[in-house]
Amino acid sequence: MRPALAALLTSLLLATAASAQTADTVLFNGKVVTVDKDFSVREAVAISHDRILATGTSAAMKKLAGSHARMVDLGGRTVIPGLTDGHIHGIRAALTFGTEVNWIGAPTLKEALAKIADAAKSQAAGSWIIVAGGWTEEQFAEKRRPTPQEIAQAAPNNPVYVQHLYDWALLSPKAMEALNIHDDADVAPGGKLERDGDNKPTGVIIANGNALGKIFDHLPKPNLAQQVEGSKKFFREMNSLGITGIVDGGGVSMYPANYEALFKLWHDKQLTVRVAYHLCAPKPGSELDDLRDLTQLSPQGFGDAMLHFNGPGEILIWADWTDGDITSDGKAKLADMLRWAASKGYSIQLHWNPDRTVHELLDVVANVEKDYSVRDLRWSVLHLYNASEDSLKRMQKLGLIWGVQDGLYFGGERLQKEVGTEAAKQMPRIVTAMKLGLVVTGGTDAHRVSSYNPFVSLQWYLDGTTIGGTQTRGEAETPGRRQVLEMYTRNTAYAANDDDKRGTLEPGKYADLAVLSADYMTAPVKEIGKIRSLLTLVGGEAVYAAAPFAGLEQPPKK
């Protein structure tokens, strides 16, 4: 059968099946990328209440419209399923989004420092100025980090904290004084003070994620009202980028009390992003007992369509989170943790970076697999940028998901120095993993280590070029546009245990979608990072709208 005739018959069949219902919204005259199993592209989509009613030709979808239906002319624009970030620390980022200084995307260090200076002018003397991450010197035209002198000059009367990824922080003199940091013992374990020629601390701290997390915990926190408003702003920012869902990993500095603002938004029906959240072990030493206590009233999937518990993760055992060689005691604790999670039917996310030790993890999973079907639990291994083909084969055999975030967009140059140019071309082995049959999910790991912009991620998956303009990944491990979009839609919905409800634009699924400012399927790859959403729907309701669709946005719920 000819493709055109097949498409026409499909549209007619869908229209016939939907004839008993009417659409309250029809988006027509566009390019609707459904991301179904055939990656079908339609002209229009009909929505009934919060669900996709049908997709097809503009004429066929208009016939489904009710008498009071909202008719939206797309003007030829591309529609994609709403994007889901498969691993992000969005709940944490949202808490302080309204009070932090954001360096994400700043093109120059001069502009970044100006943001510090502007904050100092608008805030009271003595109030904290915090840059929590999401930047790297490679994004700046100057190709360097700020000096202590520059930070002190930009905000002489304020304590300032600037964090770079999970390896470096700069504190102004007032910040060092406020936190009572004078010696290496004050940032131990895992931290060391940089000193000048006179052996005095400069304000720079070289540290790992554990040490920086402890320092960050001592910074002043926004009150609940500020956390709620910051969360609203952050989720709206995500909506403006086509994000309709996140799989949140919890992370460092995320304790039970930190979820209050999120749950208030959920209770007040003000969430505009579907959140599948994971809970980390809050402290080393008692991880299993703590997670048992935290999850007693939270079975897998507890919640509703907007917010649900997706299992423990990403820090299950602190001994394996630091990326070092796991001890035999740590491995035993990990085995106990994973066996408990399997017995409860929990999905999990596992932070694991070095391939040299991942066999330890896979050995534990293989042992658990003897008694429980891990494949049915949708366990994800995060990061693991240097995964070998042998490791990927074992992961596929065990039914594990591989979560590949865009960290090397920010750290590709460092990777090249560590492993060499040729080895870096194979990292991460995304195409190899897909050929092996692994489910590969996309995400950002934002916001302390990267930008939360999904289109920046999509661009990096497609060209392997860093924020500094260096192409590190080779063509052989570069997936195509369809595969990359699936990583951020149907695959992440699968990891969220929501693939039967969202992730594609198929009849019966939630009407979560984004109308794009440019066509993702045809735009030059170098331009994909600039794409934005002009209209974002969650359950058929407009949660973000810009010209020419600005009039469609719903007023905030009270």
Side-chain angles (χ1 to χ4, degrees):
M1 186 179 295
R2 293 179 180 177
L5 179 57
L8 176 60
L9 288 175
T10 300
S11 296
L12 291 173
L13 287 171
L14 288 172
T16 300
S19 61
Q21 303 180 59
T22 58
D24 49 53
T25 301
V26 175
L27 281 64
F28 64 94
N29 187 27
K31 180 179 180 179
V32 180
V33 183
T34 66
V35 196
D36 63 9
K37 63 181 180 62
D38 298 317
F39 211 73
S40 307
V41 178
R42 308 296 189 204
E43 288 181 350
V45 55
I47 298 167
S48 179
H49 302 294
D50 60 349
R51 307 275 179 160
I52 301 294
L53 181 59
T55 60
T57 66
S58 293
M61 295 304 100
K62 286 180 180 180
K63 289 180 180 179
L64 298 177
S67 57
H68 300 290
R70 178 173 54 182
M71 307 297 291
V72 181
D73 187 345
L74 296 169
R77 295 178 179 84
T78 296
V79 178
I80 61 172
L83 300 173
T84 294
D85 191 311
H87 179 65
I88 185 173
H89 301 282
I91 300 171
R92 184 179 66 193
L95 294 176
T96 54
F97 190 70
T99 57
E100 286 180 1
V101 173
N102 192 334
W103 280 6
I104 292 176
T108 66
L109 177 58
K110 180 179 180 181
E111 184 175 317
L113 290 168
K115 291 187 175 187
I116 296 284
D118 290 343
K121 292 174 184 175
S122 62
Q123 296 180 198
S127 63
W128 278 81
I129 296 172
I130 298 170
V131 180
W135 64 276
T136 176
E137 64 267 34
E138 294 296 337
Q139 79 190 56
F140 298 143
E142 297 90 341
K143 300 296 181 185
R144 65 176 180 85
R145 301 175 190 181
T147 66
Q149 294 76 19
E150 288 171 325
I151 293 296
Q153 184 178 359
N157 300 314
N158 300 81
V160 181
Y161 175 91
V162 178
Q163 181 170 322
H164 176 271
L165 308 180
Y166 276 118
D167 59 15
W168 181 95
L170 192 162
L171 282 71
S172 69
K174 288 187 176 295
M176 295 282 282
E177 180 181 349
L179 295 179
N180 199 29
I181 295 176
H182 305 286
D183 202 88
D184 287 352
D186 299 323
V187 294
K192 185 176 180 60
L193 301 181
E194 179 187 82
R195 296 180 179 274
D196 62 18
D198 297 322
N199 202 35
K200 294 180 179 180
T202 64
V204 170
I205 301 173
I206 311 300
N208 61 25
N210 194 3
L212 291 178
K214 290 178 180 178
I215 296 171
F216 198 87
D217 283 346
H218 287 94
L219 302 181
K221 304 296 187 292
N223 60 39
L224 179 60
Q226 291 173 319
Q227 291 176 13
V228 169
E229 286 306 308
S231 296
K232 287 181 182 177
K233 290 179 180 178
F234 182 72
F235 291 139
R236 177 175 169 78
E237 173 82 357
M238 300 290 277
N239 294 148
S240 75
L241 294 167
I243 290 284
T244 59
I246 63 172
V247 182
D248 190 274
V252 175
S253 304
M254 281 301 290
Y255 309 105
N258 296 120
Y259 290 82
E260 187 175 2
L262 172 73
F263 275 84
K264 179 170 176 52
L265 287 181
W266 178 52
H267 177 271
D268 294 344
K269 301 188 184 304
Q270 293 186 330
L271 269 180
T272 60
V273 168
R274 301 188 193 275
V275 179
Y277 68 98
H278 289 262
L279 290 176
C280 292
K283 62 182 183 295
S286 57
E287 294 96 332
L288 181 53
D289 287 341
D290 288 343
L291 281 172
R292 278 175 171 159
D293 288 343
L294 285 172
T295 58
Q296 284 187 80
L297 299 179
S298 299
Q300 178 68 31
F302 175 79
D304 64 10
M306 291 305 300
L307 176 73
H308 73 262
F309 179 51
N310 209 48
E314 68 178 306
I315 305 173
L316 298 179
I317 300 295
W318 282 80
D320 67 37
W321 182 78
T322 57
D323 301 334
D325 294 325
I326 190 168
T327 63
S328 57
D329 179 62
K331 185 174 180 179
K333 288 182 177 179
L334 180 63
D336 289 342
M337 176 69 76
L338 295 188
R339 185 163 292 278
W340 165 78
S343 73
K344 294 293 184 180
Y346 283 134
S347 295
I348 59 172
Q349 287 199 336
L350 276 159
H351 173 115
W352 206 286
N353 273 342
D355 185 71
R356 73 173 188 278
T357 63
V358 77
H359 66 278
E360 304 276 14
L361 167 64
L362 299 181
D363 289 346
V364 171
V365 175
N367 193 41
V368 173
E369 171 69 19
K370 294 176 183 177
D371 299 311
Y372 302 95
S373 178
V374 171
R375 184 178 301 276
D376 296 334
L377 300 177
R378 305 188 186 190
W379 287 4
S380 295
V381 178
L382 308 172
H383 315 313
L384 199 64
Y385 298 114
N386 64 341
S388 66
E389 185 169 352
D390 286 343
S391 296
L392 294 173
K393 286 178 179 178
R394 288 195 70 190
M395 288 168 62
Q396 191 279 330
K397 185 177 180 180
L398 291 167
L400 298 175
I401 298 167
W402 187 24
V404 180
Q405 296 73 52
D406 65 342
L408 295 183
Y409 174 70
F410 297 89
E413 286 87 356
R414 182 167 57 182
L415 174 75
Q416 277 191 335
K417 291 178 183 177
E418 291 175 352
V419 305
T421 300
E422 289 305 311
K425 288 181 180 180
Q426 304 298 317
M427 300 180 188
R429 291 179 168 85
I430 299 175
V431 172
T432 296
M434 290 177 172
K435 288 180 178 178
L436 290 172
L438 268 80
V439 174
V440 183
T441 60
T444 60
D445 200 20
H447 81 307
R448 292 190 187 172
V449 299
S450 62
S451 165
Y452 45 75
N453 188 334
F455 291 102
V456 167
S457 287
L458 295 174
Q459 179 176 312
W460 176 76
Y461 293 129
L462 289 169
D463 70 3
T465 300
T466 70
I467 192 171
T470 302
Q471 184 172 355
T472 59
R473 182 163 26 90
E475 185 177 347
E477 293 296 344
T478 298
R481 297 193 192 216
R482 170 178 177 169
Q483 294 169 310
V484 168
L485 188 56
E486 288 175 338
M487 288 171 63
Y488 243 96
T489 52
R490 63 186 307 137
N491 292 6
T492 44
Y494 176 83
N497 289 283
D498 268 355
D499 51 308
D500 59 334
K501 305 179 187 72
R502 57 190 176 98
T504 65
L505 299 180
E506 297 179 276
K509 291 191 176 180
Y510 287 119
D512 297 356
L513 57 83
V515 181
L516 305 183
S517 60
D519 183 7
Y520 161 79
M521 297 303 297
T522 61
V525 171
K526 297 296 184 186
E527 299 295 313
I528 286 176
K530 299 176 183 178
I531 294 176
R532 297 293 183 272
S533 178
L534 300 178
L535 174 65
T536 304
L537 304 186
V538 174
E541 298 293 332
V543 294
Y544 177 81
F549 307 110
L552 298 176
E553 188 168 357
Q554 307 297 310
K557 296 176 182 177
K558 301 296 184 182

